[in-house]
Each structure stands twice: as C-alpha cells, then as structure tokens.
Amino acid sequence: MAAPGQGFMTELKSAVTPRAALLVLGVLLLQLGFITSYVGALHHPTPQNLSIAVVAPEQVAPKFTGALNAIDGKPVKAVTAPDAETATQQIKDQKVYAALVVDPKGTQDTLLVGGARGPSAAKAAETVTTALDAKQGRTVVVHDVVPLAKGDTNGLTSFYLVIGWCVGGYLVASILGISAGSKPANLHRLLIRLGALAVYSVVAGLGGTIIAGPVLDALPGSILALTAIGALVVFTVGAFTMALQCLFGIIGIGVAVLIFVVLGNPSAGGVYPDPMMPPFWRAIGSIIPNGAGAAVTKSIAYFDSTNIGKPLLVLFVWALVGIAVAVLAVLRTPRSGGRELTADPA
C-alpha cells in the first residue's frame, strides 16, 4: 500500500502533467505581459515630436519654431508652412497634427487641429502653444478642421472596430485549428481553410462596417472601402494565426494572443496616437496589423483615404507571410492518409 504522501504525489503528477504545467506558466506570462503592455503604453501619455506647422511672417517664424523646438523633452517638432490654407491641407493629409497661425497684426493666434487624428494630440498641441503664447503676452483660439463625427465623441470607434476584426480573425483561425487539427493534413485542406477564412472575413468586414456606420452612426466613410479593409484585417490576422498553429500547434494561439492582443492593441494608436505613446509602443504600432488597420480605417473615415500606402503594405505583407509559412509547413509534413495533424499530442 502506497504511503499517503506518495499517493498524493502520484495523483498530482497524473492530474497536472508537465505539458499542462508549461501551458499554465505560458498563460501566466501572457497575463503579466498584458498588464505590462497596456499599463506601460497608456498610463502616462506625454507628447514626443508632435508635429506642428507654424504660419507666420518670415521675420518672426523662426522665433516661434525655435521656441517650440527648444521645449524640454522635445514634445513638439515644429516646421513652417507658407499660409493657413497649406497648413490646413497638411493636417488633412496627415502630414502634421496641428498648425499655429500667428496674427502679425494682433495678439490672438489660431491653432488649427485635426481632432479626428486624436483628441489627446489636439489637446497636447493646445497646451503647448497656449503656454508659449502666454509667455509672449498672446492668446490662442482653437479651430478643428477635421472634427470627429457626432457618434464618435472620443475618436475610438475606428480603433474598437479594428480590434473587433482582429479578435474575429485569430478566434476563427483558432477554432478551425482546435476542431480539425492545428495543421491541415495536406495543401488542399489548407486551401479550404483559407477559403473559409476569406468568406468569413468578408462577412465580418461588412458586418462590422454596418454596425459602426448605419446602425450606430458612430463612424463615417465609404461602406465599401471600410468593408474591404475590414475583410483584409480579419484575413491577415486569421492567416497569420493559422501559420503559427501550423508551426507550434496549440501554443501558436498563445503566440497570436501575444502579438495581436498584448502588443498590438495598446500600440495601435486608438486611445493615444503615436506621438503620445512611449518609444517602444510607438515603434511597433505601425508594423502590427492592429495599428495598420486602425490607421487605414481612420483615414477612410475622416481623411479621404490619405497616407494609407504603408499601412496597407503592412497588412498585405503579414497576410502573405502567413499564407507562405502555412503552405511550407504543410508541404514539409509527410502525408497522413487524409487525417488532420496536430503538433500537440496529449
């Protein structure tokens, strides 16, 4: 008869296998990473190189740009613009976040902002320029040249819409992997999964667009264009998650969560735009599908689809890499007689 201690240890080893323990440890690390990433990115928004154009007579423009660029911590990157019309267009083209138009005949200047680019960035530009003008006995009045829609008060609709698309992408890929095996048995079955993902992506893109637009009136913009970008985001995230599952089995789902949730969400520029985030999250935000999708969605909604070349390229590259990796992983696997494969045997 086994001693009580030995019996308990036997039961413990049987109930908690080394593989299960490693998976639990992985979940703990993801959880702590989630907290670190979100709190680290969002707890202390401080402007860094916030682009502001200065419109002023030639003899005083250097004074204003120099004063803005000389602020401790480099919160602002000031440039000049020839006139208010040009500065307004630069804001609409997403080349600058704001523009300070100096009135040479009076003491009240005008700050042009694009509120749809990010309310926090507009507020930061107002704070900096107001403090600068106050030192010179001047005042600032703010004019929003790209205001948010009435149903998008805080400018978060495009961000949450893209996050929803991302969630759908990695969840549907995960479900396909869990229900039918992490790795398709052959190339034909992989293509079927990718085809199913493509159909799902279009439906999800259209559904999200209709909810955010016509149903809730929370986001303006072309339904067709927003549906297309939604489908691309869902497919990109789903295809890359499939690739991770082909490589790592069920652990690939955890890697997808690390990329798209832990790193991708807080760096996507939803709550705070790039200049308001710490350097690490600012650096990765534009090269992860979450941030790229949010940038294109916001541009379609508010900025006439300007400046979308790079984020679209990011999305296409992630999608193509996901497809390529999944195809190579399947082709390198010996035929299994038609059975789906899993990299995680019990």
Side-chain angles (χ1 to χ4, degrees), residues 33-34 37-38 256-268 280-281 284-285 288 290:
F34 180 97
S37 187
Y38 277 72
V257 171
L258 172 64
I259 296 172
F260 301 120
V261 179
V262 175
L263 298 177
N265 285 355
S267 65
F280 172 74
W281 289 270
I284 68 173
I288 296 179
N290 309 49

Side-chain angles (χ1 to χ4, degrees), residues 163-179 197 200 234 237-239 241-242 245 253 256-257 260-261:
I163 296 309
W165 283 330
C166 289
V167 169
Y170 67 72
L171 281 182
V172 72
S174 300
I175 290 171
L176 288 173
I178 292 172
S179 63
L197 174 63
Y200 175 88
V234 176
V237 173
T241 301
M242 281 188 184
Q245 288 179 288
I253 298 175
V257 171
F260 301 120
V261 179

Side-chain angles (χ1 to χ4, degrees), residues 177-199:
I178 292 172
S179 63
S182 299
K183 185 185 295 184
N186 51 54
L187 183 59
H188 182 241
R189 293 196 178 184
L190 173 62
L191 294 178
I192 291 175
R193 285 196 192 184
L194 290 172
L197 174 63
V199 173

Side-chain angles (χ1 to χ4, degrees), residues 209-229:
T209 298
I210 291 176
I211 291 171
V215 175
L216 299 179
D217 194 25
L219 194 70
S222 164
I223 291 179
L224 180 60
L226 288 173
T227 297
I229 188 60

Side-chain angles (χ1 to χ4, degrees), residues 33-44 266 278 281:
F34 180 97
I35 295 170
T36 301
S37 187
Y38 277 72
V39 176
L42 307 177
H43 78 291
H44 185 55
W281 289 270

